[in-house]
Structure formats: C-alpha cells, structure tokens
C-alpha cells in the first residue's frame, strides 16, 4: 500500500487518504469527530500513526498542518453577525421549501405556483425557472456534494430531474398514485428516493430514469425519508407511527422501528450510521441502534408535538424543535438535555451550522434566531419577514443563511 495524497474534509472534520493497493487507487477516511480547537495536535498525530499504517513518520508534519487547518475551520464564523443582503420576491404564490447546494453558490425554491427556481446566492439573480409540474412543487433537493442536478417532487404525483447548468428536465419519474411529499438523492448521486401519500417510497435510477424498486409496507402516508452516508440504507417515516429501515441494494425492509404512539415528523441517521433519530407528534424523539433496530433512548421534555429534529455533523449533539415554541439540545452520548432554547412564539424548524456550535431556528412568529448550541443563549434575531418562516438553512461554511417564508419571499443573510 502506498499513500498518494491527503485531502481535507472540513465538516465533519476528517482527512481523506488516497492510496494505491495492487495497482488500484482507493480512498479511506480518518474521521476526527472529537476534534476541537483545544485538541493537542501532537498527541493526536501520535495516536493516528499507531492506528493507521499509511501515516508514516515522514508524513507526520503534513498531518499536523492539516489538523491545525481543521481546528481553524472549527473556530471560523463562530461570532459571525448576519446582515440582510437581499430580499427575493421569489414566487407569485407561497414557497414550500428552500435548499442550498454544497458550496452555497446557488439555491433553489419550490412553490405553490408549480415551479422551482434556481438562484445565484452572491447576486440574488434568478438563474432558471424549472417549469413543467402541474401542481404544487413541494419537495426539492440538490444532488450534493456534486450539485449539478436538482430533483423536484410535486403534488402532481411526479418527480422531475433537472440540469443545474441548463435548467433542462432530464427525466420525469411517474408511478406514484398520490402526492410526492419528500425526496432525497443518495450520497453517491446514482439514485433519487421519493416518498408519497400513497404509502410507498420509490427508488429511481438517475442515469436512465427507470424505477428500480417500490418500498411497500407502511399502512399510512410516508412523510420523510433519508439515506445514510454510505448509501446502503434508507429510512422512511410514516403517519402509521413507525419508521422502516430498508436495504437499498435488495430493496427490502430490514427493520421496523416501533415505539412512537403518533405520526412521525422526522427520521435521520447520524454521520457514522450507528444511530437513527426519530421525532414524533407524540412529543418525544427516540434514538435507535441502527445495526439492530432497538430503541436506546427516549428524549422527553417538550409539551407539544416534535416538528423537527437533527444531529450536528459529528453526531455528538441532537436538536429538537417543537410546536411548544421551544427547542432543546441533547447529548447523543449521555442522552441528557444540555440546554433549552426559549424565545420564539410559535412552531419552529431547526438546523445546526457546520461547525456544530450554533443553531438556526425559523418560526411561525416571522423571525429566525441564531443560538449558542451549548448555552442556549439567543445571539441574534433575524427580523423582517411579514409571515411565518417555514424553512431556513446555513451554507456549508456557515456564513450565509437563507430564510423562506409564507410572505412569498426568501431572504439572503450574510
């Protein structure tokens, strides 16, 4: 085995190793999920050298420099104050969703006006209008990290695949018998998964536009789905109170996660694919062992439905957002509540910044807020929307925010 090159992955922190083995180029990643700005770099490099034969003594200085660069990144943008850069009167009818590409150079908006629009983040200019759906465009996504394709799911029961560069439609995926309400690309960007009110999810081949498999087994609408980072598993959350874990290759169900006593609102894997987090209208979130489907913890404390939940990039922290107007941060290790975010008046959505030290919430009270993830202190209120904010997101660097509102506008904050 011969090490060819070392590449950085900023979020979550890691170093990608490119190496040659019997004439073939391969890659593996050194995940540094516990890295913090205070980590002793010399001690860490020694540990890595013991565990990873590809990192020889001659490479240690190079690895030290890379780890220092990762530490710098974790400190970056922490105290960033956001200012309104632009208001986009995006659509003639309310928006349903906003999503950024990985670099944050452009973003998309879906709308009740049956279109999806692609925007340039730096200028706020409209790049393309993706037209062709015959009903609400409800679910939208980029094929990150590549960012050259967009998928749109509609109440017209179809999903369409588009070129980011030209705005042309590559394929229309037909087969669902009811509205499509959620979708996702697999991380390898070879498949699109769609979830529908018809109680099924479908996997589609991006190259030829063919349906690969229909995932059946839920007894009510599927309202959320997500792949793990390896792309070999997908989970679907349903109004039937359960979450199903599927083997992507075989197209069959591996486990059903049973334990919630009301509709599921969110379901996702942590970074290393060891845990699954589910949120429910029963006011709780549950943590499950992804290898055997057993429940390992129930996160309680909210007084109303859980509307949104997420892991930070490293999978160490969990955030939950509720219709009770509050959000909570839990440790994924101890499963204890670290802090409570109070200040909104109304339903909220939530997401971490890439560094994992800030949280962004958008609320039906027309504001978005930025919080310190450890202390729960509100650091900034983003005001100006005249109706509820239903979607808000950071870019990959954590220095741009997009907020989408029922006032038919989205705002870019720098």
């Amino acid at each position: 085995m011969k090490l060819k090159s070392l590449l950085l992955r900023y979020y979550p922190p890691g170093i990608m190793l490119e190496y040659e083995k019997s004439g073939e180029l391969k890659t593996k990643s050194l995940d540094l999920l516990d890295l913090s700005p205070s980590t002793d770099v010399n001690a860490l490099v020694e540990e890595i050298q013991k565990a990873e034969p590809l990192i020889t003594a001659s490479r240690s200085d190079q690895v030290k420099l890379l780890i220092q660069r990762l530490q710098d990144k974790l400190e970056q943008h922490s105290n960033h104050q956001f200012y309104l850069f632009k208001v986009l009167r995006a659509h003639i009818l309310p928006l349903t969703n906003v999503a950024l590409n990985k670099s944050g150079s452009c973003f998309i908006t879906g709308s009740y006006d049956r279109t999806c629009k692609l925007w340039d983040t730096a200028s706020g200019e409209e790049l393309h209008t993706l037209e062709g759906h015959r009903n609400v465009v409800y679910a939208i996504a980029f094929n990150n990290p590549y960012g050259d394709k967009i998928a749109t799911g509609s109440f017209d029961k179809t999903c369409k695949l588009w070129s980011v560069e030209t705005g042309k439609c590559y394929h229309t995926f037909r087969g669902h018998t009811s509205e499509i309400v959620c979708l996702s690309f697999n991380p390898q960007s070879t498949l699109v998964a769609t979830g529908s009110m018809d109680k099924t999810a479908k996997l589609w081949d991006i190259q030829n536009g063919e349906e690969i498999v229909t995932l059946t087994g839920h007894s009510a609408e599927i309202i959320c789905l997500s792949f793990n980072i390896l792309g070999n598993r997908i989970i679907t959350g349903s109004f039937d109170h359960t979450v199903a874990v599927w083997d992507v290759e075989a197209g069959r169900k591996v486990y059903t996660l049973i334990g919630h006593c009301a509709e599921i609102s969110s379901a996702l894997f942590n970074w290393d694919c060891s845990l699954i987090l589910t949120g429910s209208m029963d006011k709780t979130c549950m943590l499950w062992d992804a290898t055997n489907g057993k429940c390992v913890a129930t996160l309680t404390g909210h007084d109303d439905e859980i509307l949104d939940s997420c892991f930070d990039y490293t999978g160490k922290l969990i955030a939950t957002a509720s219709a009770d107007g509050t959000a909570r941060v839990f440790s994924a290790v101890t499963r204890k509540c670290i802090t409570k975010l109070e200040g909104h008046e109304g339903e909220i959505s939530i997401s971490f910044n890439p560094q994992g030290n800030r949280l962004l919430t958008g609320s039906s009270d027309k504001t978005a807020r930025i919080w310190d993830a450890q202390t729960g202190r509100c650091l900034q209120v983003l005001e100006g929307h005249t109706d509820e904010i239903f979607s808000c997101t950071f870019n990959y660097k954590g220095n741009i925010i997009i907020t989408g509102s029922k006032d038919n506008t989205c705002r870019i904050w720098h």
Side-chain angles (χ1 to χ4, degrees):
M1 291 203 300
K2 184 166 181 273
L3 186 62
K4 303 288 275 186
S5 65
L6 297 167
L7 306 165
L8 277 183
R9 185 191 66 216
Y10 289 123
Y11 311 116
I15 298 171
M16 312 300 288
L17 312 178
E18 282 195 342
Y19 63 98
E20 208 176 281
K21 188 179 180 184
S22 26
E24 241 186 294
L25 197 62
K26 302 191 168 220
T27 58
K28 62 156 99 169
S29 70
L30 287 178
D31 292 339
L32 304 172
L33 303 185
D34 295 323
L35 187 71
S36 75
S38 58
T39 301
D40 178 336
V41 177
N42 291 333
L44 179 57
V45 173
E46 274 179 38
E47 265 177 57
I48 290 171
Q49 280 180 316
K50 278 183 200 148
E52 180 45 72
L54 283 169
I55 306 292
T56 53
S58 62
R59 290 281 190 169
S60 65
D61 285 349
Q62 189 186 357
V63 173
K64 269 178 207 168
L65 281 173
L66 291 178
I67 291 172
Q68 281 159 353
R69 274 174 60 193
L70 289 173
Q71 283 181 315
D72 291 344
K73 272 288 183 204
L74 289 174
E75 289 280 52
Q76 243 182 20
H77 307 306
S78 297
N79 302 313
H80 189 85
Q81 279 288 308
F82 288 89
Y83 297 96
L84 180 63
F85 167 66
K86 212 152 210 181
V87 180
L88 304 180
R89 310 217 169 277
H91 293 269
I92 52 171
L93 289 172
L95 283 77
T96 53
N97 241 315
V98 300
L100 278 150
N101 68 348
K102 183 171 171 179
S103 69
S105 61
C106 58
F107 66 96
I108 45 180
T109 52
S111 169
Y112 280 88
D113 71 9
R114 307 179 175 194
T115 70
C116 172
K117 293 191 181 201
L118 177 69
W119 306 86
D120 180 82
T121 313
S123 64
E125 276 174 58
E126 185 184 315
L127 300 172
H128 298 297
T129 297
L130 311 181
E131 291 177 294
H133 280 297
R134 297 178 170 197
N135 208 325
V136 176
V137 174
Y138 193 74
I140 55 177
F142 280 100
N143 63 330
N144 290 336
Y146 309 97
D148 63 336
K149 295 183 182 72
I150 293 164
T152 55
S154 168
F155 285 3
D156 69 9
K157 309 173 194 170
T158 72
C159 171
K160 289 179 183 282
L161 185 71
W162 312 80
S163 160
V164 167
E165 199 180 338
T166 64
K168 294 272 186 298
C169 180
Y170 289 121
H171 301 297
T172 300
F173 303 128
R174 301 175 200 279
H176 281 296
T177 56
S178 196
E179 297 91 339
I180 292 174
V181 291
C182 52
L183 58 79
S184 178
F185 285 92
N186 66 340
Q188 295 73 23
S189 192
T190 54
L191 304 174
V192 174
T194 53
S196 166
M197 303 300 267
D198 67 12
K199 310 177 189 172
T200 73
K202 289 177 184 282
L203 301 180
W204 311 84
D205 186 305
I206 282 178
Q207 279 318 106
N208 61 24
E210 302 288 316
E211 179 185 318
I212 293 171
V213 70
T214 299
L215 308 178
T216 57
H218 281 295
S219 59
E221 298 85 346
I222 290 175
I223 55 111
C224 58
L225 52 78
S226 66
F227 284 95
N228 67 355
I229 205 80
L230 300 171
N232 64 345
R233 292 273 190 274
I234 186 170
I235 44 180
T236 52
S238 166
F239 279 170
D240 67 11
H241 309 181
T242 73
V243 173
V245 184
W246 310 82
D247 179 302
V248 170
E249 190 74 19
R252 61 177 181 81
K253 197 191 291 183
V254 188
Y255 305 115
T256 304
L257 310 182
I258 299 171
H260 283 295
C261 51
E263 292 94 336
I264 304 296
S265 56
S266 60
L268 64 172
F269 287 91
N270 65 347
W271 171 264
D272 69 8
C273 313
S274 62
L275 292 172
I276 294 168
L277 174 67
T278 58
S280 166
M281 302 295 178
D282 67 10
K283 309 179 191 175
T284 73
C285 274
M286 294 176 95
L287 265 182
W288 312 78
D289 183 320
T291 54
N292 61 21
K294 299 258 189 305
C295 176
V296 293
T298 303
L299 310 179
T300 59
H302 284 293
D303 304 329
D304 208 338
E305 302 170 346
I306 303 264
L307 302 169
D308 201 8
S309 62
C310 57
F311 285 103
D312 72 344
Y313 261 126
T314 62
K316 285 211 271 296
L317 295 176
I318 292 165
T320 59
S322 166
D324 67 15
T326 72
R328 286 166 185 256
V329 182
F330 293 85
S331 159
V333 182
T334 67
R335 286 78 194 250
K336 297 271 188 291
C337 180
I338 297 168
T339 186
K340 202 169 161 185
L341 316 182
E342 295 177 289
H344 280 299
E345 298 160 19
E347 300 187 346
I348 50 182
S349 63
I350 195 159
S351 54
F352 280 95
N353 70 343
Q355 293 85 349
N357 56 7
R358 298 286 178 266
L359 280 157
L360 172 65
T361 53
S363 169
S364 57
D365 69 11
K366 307 174 192 171
T367 71
R369 289 173 183 246
I370 297 155
W371 313 76
D372 183 303
Q374 289 296 331
T375 65
R377 198 162 64 88
C378 178
L379 304 172
Q380 205 180 342
V381 181
L382 308 181
E383 293 176 292
H385 279 295
T386 58
D387 205 337
E388 65 182 77
I389 295 172
F390 57 80
S391 183
C392 53
T393 178
F394 281 103
N395 65 338
Y396 183 68
K397 285 184 183 163
N399 61 344
I400 294 172
I401 288 171
I402 312 279
T403 53
S405 165
K406 279 200 175 156
D407 66 12
N408 298 10
T409 74
C410 54
R411 289 173 176 241
I412 305 173
W413 309 80
H414 282 196

